[in-house]
């Protein structure tokens, strides 16, 4: 069964229990596949291959419609409005990375009509949305945009399993930086084959590449700096790798997108 997430942020759990470990978050409009039900939970596989348990109330059955254009939220948060005007009722608020298919109706300048998970219509300010398209840019431009996306989370609190500006963990940060630029990498701190990434040496590493440590992952910036979300820093911060002896002494390998 195909599902579409109907909550702004839907926790994905390790076990079919809300008291279980939160391993990931599914964002509004994300699609996933349910393979079974256990109690009030679906066991799902996300579009990027991550698995876990999702509350049944957090998703709606989805029938794929390839004719719809999906747009993605690129502001930290965006209000979903009942009507296309500034005084409209706010239905709910969605985080960066949430997805919205366009509705087939006109909207006034500055707004876009979107189709909600339950099939009803709503409106979002146009400046919050960006059409989801395949990569059509040079490697240097792509690396710059990935780094820019990661830096947009600077100061975000640390949250285990988190993936939004409300809270994000180390692999959530690196995943979202790529995801917001049209590429899905593995959403965990360890390297996994089959997700467009390949191992490289430190001499080959450039900005936008990932730096792996035991149980941790960061993104390389220029000048030997990294950006990462860590429990020690209480969130997303930039620091020189050499200044963090704990990390500098324990690098496993670098990885890069197969460009």
């Amino acid at each position: 069964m195909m599902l579409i997430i109907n909550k702004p942020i839907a926790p994905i759990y390790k076990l079919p229990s809300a008291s279980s470990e939160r391993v990931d978050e599914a964002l509004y409009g994300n699609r996933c596949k349910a393979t079974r039900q256990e109690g009030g939970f679906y066991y799902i596989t996300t579009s990027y291959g991550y698995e876990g348990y999702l509350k049944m109330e957090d998703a709606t059955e989805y029938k794929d419609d390839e004719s719809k254009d999906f747009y993605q939220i690129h502001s930290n948060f965006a209000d979903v409005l009942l009507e296309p005007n500034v005084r409209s009722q706010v239905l709910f608020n969605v985080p960066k990375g949430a997805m919205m298919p366009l509705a087939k109706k006109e909207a006034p300048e500055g707004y876009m009509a979107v189709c909600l998970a339950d099939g009803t219509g709503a409106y979002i300010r146009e400046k919050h949305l960006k059409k989801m398209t395949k990569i059509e840019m040079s490697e240097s431009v792509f690396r710059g945009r990935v780094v820019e996306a990661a830096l947009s989370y600077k100061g975000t609190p640390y949250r285990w399993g988190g993936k939004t500006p409300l809270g994000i963990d180390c692999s959530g940060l690196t995943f979202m930086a790529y995801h917001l630029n049209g590429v899905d990498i593995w959403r965990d701190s360890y390297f996994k084959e089959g997700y467009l990434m390949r191992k490289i040496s430190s001499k080959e590493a450039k900005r936008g590449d990932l730096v792996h440590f035991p149980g941790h992952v960061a993104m390389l910036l220029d000048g030997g700096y990294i950006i990462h979300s860590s429990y020690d820093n209480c969130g997303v911060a930039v620091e020189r790798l050499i200044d963090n002896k704990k990390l500098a002494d324990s690098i496993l390998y670098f990885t890069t997108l197969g460009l």
Side-chain angles (χ1 to χ4, degrees):
M1 179 193 304
M2 294 302 299
L3 303 173
I4 187 168
I5 302 302
N6 61 25
K7 296 293 192 299
I9 304 172
I12 299 176
Y13 300 97
K14 186 174 183 179
L15 299 172
S17 168
S19 62
S20 172
E21 176 186 344
R22 179 194 298 233
V23 295
D24 193 11
E25 291 175 335
L27 308 182
Y28 193 95
N30 286 193
R31 287 154 288 175
C32 56
K33 182 179 181 180
T35 53
R36 65 177 185 268
Q37 298 178 21
E38 293 188 34
F41 290 80
Y42 290 118
Y43 185 76
I44 65 162
T45 302
T46 65
S47 59
Y48 44 92
Y50 216 71
E51 298 179 334
Y53 290 90
L54 176 77
K55 288 181 180 178
M56 293 177 66
E57 64 199 54
D58 290 349
T60 303
E61 187 173 359
Y62 177 71
K63 294 183 179 179
D64 194 18
D65 183 352
E66 294 183 358
S67 68
K68 289 182 179 177
D69 288 328
F70 273 83
Y71 280 67
Q72 192 172 54
I73 302 296
H74 272 246
S75 302
N76 279 346
F77 297 96
D79 286 338
V80 180
L81 305 170
L82 181 62
E83 300 292 340
N85 65 73
V86 71
R87 296 181 177 86
S88 174
Q89 175 187 348
V90 177
L91 299 177
F92 52 92
N93 186 271
V94 288
K96 183 187 297 185
M99 296 192 298
M100 295 282 181
L102 292 192
K104 296 179 180 179
K105 61 179 178 179
E106 296 296 321
E109 184 177 357
Y111 291 86
M112 298 184 80
V114 295
C115 185
L116 303 183
D118 63 3
T120 61
Y123 297 88
I124 294 180
R125 293 286 300 276
E126 186 175 5
K127 69 176 184 178
H128 297 309
L129 294 164
K130 182 178 178 181
K131 189 172 182 180
M132 298 183 68
T133 57
K134 294 182 180 179
I135 301 173
E136 294 181 358
M137 63 187 87
S138 68
E139 179 181 344
S140 62
V141 170
F142 178 73
R143 288 180 180 276
R145 290 187 180 179
V146 167
V147 167
E148 182 182 5
L151 289 170
S152 74
Y153 289 91
K154 188 177 178 182
T156 298
Y158 183 85
R159 175 185 289 177
W160 184 270
K163 212 165 62 183
T164 77
L166 286 177
I168 200 164
D169 64 12
C170 65
S171 62
L173 174 66
T174 53
F175 173 86
M176 289 303 299
Y178 276 90
H179 179 67
L180 291 168
N181 286 284
V183 174
D184 284 345
I185 61 175
W186 180 235
R187 193 267 193 265
D188 218 324
S189 58
Y190 62 89
F191 175 75
K192 185 172 182 177
E193 298 284 354
Y195 281 82
L196 300 177
M197 307 294 283
R198 61 185 178 86
K199 297 181 183 181
I200 60 173
S201 69
S202 58
K203 293 180 180 179
E204 299 176 84
K206 302 175 184 178
R207 64 175 181 162
D209 289 336
L210 305 187
V211 190
H212 286 263
F213 313 89
H216 190 57
V217 62
M219 179 176 288
L220 187 66
L221 307 179
D222 290 326
Y225 284 82
I226 59 170
I227 181 168
H228 63 144
S229 183
S230 71
Y231 177 80
D232 291 342
N233 289 330
C234 296
V236 180
V238 172
E239 62 180 315
R240 283 201 312 167
L241 181 56
I242 196 171
D243 291 340
N244 190 323
K245 186 172 176 57
K246 177 181 175 181
L247 296 184
D249 288 347
S250 61
I251 294 176
L252 294 178
Y253 44 73
F254 292 77
T255 61
T256 188
L257 189 67
L259 293 172

